Amino acid sequence: MSSVIVRKESMDNYVGKLINYTQPIYVWREDPNSRQNTIKAIKERANSPEDWPQIIIFPEGTCTNRSCLITFKHGAFYPGVPVQPVCIRYPNRLDTVTWTWEGPGVLKLLWLTLTQVHSACEVEFLPVYVPSAEERANAKLYAHNVRNVMSKALGLPISDYTYDDCKILTRAKEMNLPFAPSIVDVEKLRESVGLNKNHSEEKIAASPAGNIPENSINYVEFCQRLQIQQSHPHAHKLFSLFDPRSNGVIDFREYLLCALFLIKPNQPQIDLVKSAFK
């Protein structure tokens, strides 16, 4: 029987006790060291001379609505050994198996599935994927290429969103942040223009109230405030996210609120608002 990668918090039930017999590798999502420990365990088993069972890994790391393949986590690909992609399909008229954190719960889906006359499931084993030398040296590239193979087999598009992106998006919506649906794009664009390193937003938030624009600023002022190059293509994209009507101006405080949230996502909402709108 194959082993699995499983969240530790999922083991506190009867099903979890049964999974223990497969000698799983445990993951603690909230533990910052868990990722490295998991990668180390995968490498040890993959390269061990002992007769460890094969490891089943769901590389997306979470459940989706199956409309696309999101970014594969790299843990399965760090060992640089061949993998066998497996595609699972549910060709049923009614979808009673899709489970996401915003949809119906497990018990409801189980009940709906049991009320069907039959539920079909197709499992397709694709050819073993042997990584190239470049892929063995680059787990990100390896994961990306395997995802492309699986997306073609499934006939599904790919998305560069990750499980962590979904957590940030959900948190932003819960806090009713302005432009919350774009928060993941804001994060990626901030990183691409170097704002995650120059700490401009934090310096502005810490400055006296008179130094923070009260209302609207244009693109040139936006770049000057954040100390980023106007010619950077992603800088203009970042500005445009907060200018949906293409007026050429944005409320800088709305941007600052989103940026401070990304810097300190666990900070209470009232503290973020005070920093951005003081």
Side-chain angles (χ1 to χ4, degrees):
M1 182 179 293
S2 299
S3 296
V4 294
I5 307 293
V6 63
R7 293 180 300 167
K8 182 61 178 177
E9 57 267 29
S10 300
M11 304 304 292
D12 299 329
N13 52 52
Y14 293 110
V15 175
K17 302 300 182 184
L18 294 175
I19 293 177
N20 274 329
Y21 288 103
T22 70
Q23 298 177 296
I25 296 176
Y26 298 110
V27 176
W28 286 263
R29 276 181 170 169
E30 305 305 325
D31 181 0
N33 298 318
S34 180
R35 179 174 299 180
Q36 294 302 320
N37 292 336
T38 301
I39 292 172
K40 181 180 178 181
I42 293 173
K43 283 185 175 180
E44 289 177 350
R45 292 198 187 187
N47 297 300
S48 174
E50 299 180 12
D51 189 23
W52 283 101
Q54 288 182 305
I55 303 174
I56 298 176
I57 298 178
F58 295 88
E60 291 176 300
T62 189
C63 299
T64 69
N65 61 9
R66 297 187 291 114
S67 62
C68 65
L69 291 181
I70 64 174
T71 300
F72 281 8
K73 291 182 175 292
H74 306 154
F77 306 94
Y78 277 109
V81 297
V83 298
Q84 181 165 33
V86 179
C87 298
I88 302 176
R89 302 181 184 86
Y90 298 93
N92 301 302
R93 186 173 64 86
L94 297 177
D95 183 3
T96 62
V97 297
T98 296
W99 176 32
T100 66
W101 59 87
E102 289 188 343
V106 176
L107 293 179
K108 182 176 181 179
L109 290 175
L110 177 60
W111 169 250
L112 291 174
T113 301
L114 292 174
T115 59
Q116 304 303 308
V117 176
H118 74 277
S119 294
C121 175
E122 297 177 356
V123 180
E124 179 183 3
F125 291 83
L126 301 180
V128 173
Y129 190 105
V130 180
S132 64
E134 186 179 5
E135 289 170 330
R136 287 195 297 271
N138 187 337
K140 182 177 181 180
L141 175 64
Y142 189 5
H144 178 78
N145 290 343
V146 171
R147 183 177 63 154
N148 285 342
V149 169
M150 297 181 70
S151 72
K152 291 179 181 178
L154 290 167
L156 293 176
I158 61 175
S159 170
D160 289 332
Y161 282 96
T162 66
Y163 170 76
D164 293 331
D165 292 336
C166 295
K167 286 203 304 184
I168 291 175
L169 180 58
T170 301
R171 173 69 172 157
K173 287 183 176 180
E174 290 174 350
M175 295 179 66
N176 294 317
L177 288 183
F179 302 97
S182 301
I183 196 70
V184 173
D185 294 325
V186 173
E187 180 184 36
K188 296 182 186 302
L189 290 172
R190 282 185 66 255
E191 182 176 353
S192 67
V193 299
L195 284 170
N196 60 323
K197 296 180 180 179
N198 71 5
H199 307 291
S200 294
E201 297 107 340
E202 293 174 278
K203 293 176 183 177
I204 294 173
S207 65
N211 292 337
I212 300 178
E214 293 185 359
N215 293 306
S216 58
I217 61 173
N218 59 32
Y219 176 66
V220 174
E221 294 170 321
F222 176 77
C223 293
Q224 290 174 346
R225 287 273 174 180
L226 298 178
Q227 300 176 9
I228 57 178
Q229 296 180 356
Q230 297 179 33
S231 58
H232 199 300
H234 289 170
H236 196 274
K237 289 182 180 179
L238 180 60
F239 179 86
S240 298
L241 288 178
F242 294 85
D243 183 23
R245 297 183 180 179
S246 301
N247 293 326
V249 294
I250 67 169
D251 187 330
F252 187 74
R253 296 172 300 179
E254 291 183 339
Y255 167 79
L256 192 59
L257 181 60
C258 290
L260 293 175
F261 164 77
L262 291 169
I263 295 169
K264 300 177 180 179
N266 295 320
Q267 187 170 347
Q269 182 179 15
I270 186 63
D271 292 342
L272 291 175
V273 173
K274 285 180 179 179
S275 297
F277 290 86
K278 65 181 180 179

